[in-house]
Amino acid sequence: MSLFGGHTTTTRADKISSFTVNTAEYGSAVPEILGTVRVSGNVIYYDDFTAHEHKKTTRAGKGGKSKSVSITYTYTVATIIGLCEGQIAGIGKIWMDKNIYQYPTDQVSLTLFNGAENQAPWAYVKSKHPEKALPYPGLAYMAGVIDLGDS
């Protein structure tokens, strides 16, 4: 740093390298649903956990010679959430955190696979991980790349 020059201060948040899912159960019973009911899905697949870096630079001091750089991270993951056995007519409401959404909506980045016997595998997995692409015939599920936020 020179006598009259500025300096840079960098603050970096801790980066998460992996995550655990506490709602996934191996060998869990798959519910059969008749009518309308509120269910909690079971994570049956996840992949491509990704950290996205966000830099914010602010200038300070006389003439803006000093700067502060803040680095934070947000995360996404590709997931399939099993709902129930058999073909369903559709999804009504979805509870996410403390919010309730009427499906389909732009706030829910999941696609419904209604459990038809001839349903195709999720296109995302088919293109990125073809060896893992399963159609899950007779299983209603939702799939998508979801935003996990910053934690």
Side-chain angles (χ1 to χ4, degrees):
M1 177 171 80
S2 66
L3 182 60
F4 298 105
H7 67 282
T8 300
T9 303
T10 302
T11 306
R12 182 181 297 269
D14 291 335
K15 183 177 176 183
I16 301 170
S17 61
S18 66
F19 78 108
T20 58
V21 179
N22 57 1
T23 59
E25 294 180 32
Y26 180 77
S28 175
V30 179
E32 184 176 350
I33 296 174
L34 303 172
T36 302
V37 66
R38 181 177 176 178
V39 295
S40 180
N42 188 35
V43 175
I44 58 174
Y45 172 88
Y46 71 89
D47 213 334
D48 299 336
F49 176 76
T50 306
H52 305 276
E53 184 177 277
H54 306 278
K55 285 185 182 181
K56 181 180 178 185
T57 303
T58 54
R59 298 211 175 266
K62 211 174 216 184
K65 291 183 179 179
S66 296
K67 66 180 178 177
S68 174
V69 178
S70 174
I71 301 172
T72 59
Y73 297 92
T74 57
Y75 306 93
T76 56
V77 67
T79 189
I80 296 176
I81 302 168
L83 299 176
C84 66
E85 179 183 351
Q87 190 167 352
I88 62 173
I91 298 287
K93 295 178 182 173
I94 292 181
W95 284 258
M96 287 175 45
D97 297 322
K98 295 179 181 180
N99 301 314
I100 300 173
Y101 301 101
Q102 188 66 36
Y103 187 81
T105 178
D106 290 339
Q107 284 82 15
V108 177
S109 59
L110 297 170
T111 302
L112 173 64
F113 290 79
N114 70 357
E117 288 295 325
N118 62 348
Q119 69 188 2
W122 180 27
Y124 176 92
V125 177
K126 195 172 180 180
S127 67
K128 298 216 180 236
H129 308 284
E131 71 284 357
K132 297 178 183 178
L134 299 173
Y136 300 106
L139 178 71
Y141 66 89
M142 298 192 82
V145 177
I146 59 173
D147 183 0
L148 300 174
D150 61 1
S151 63

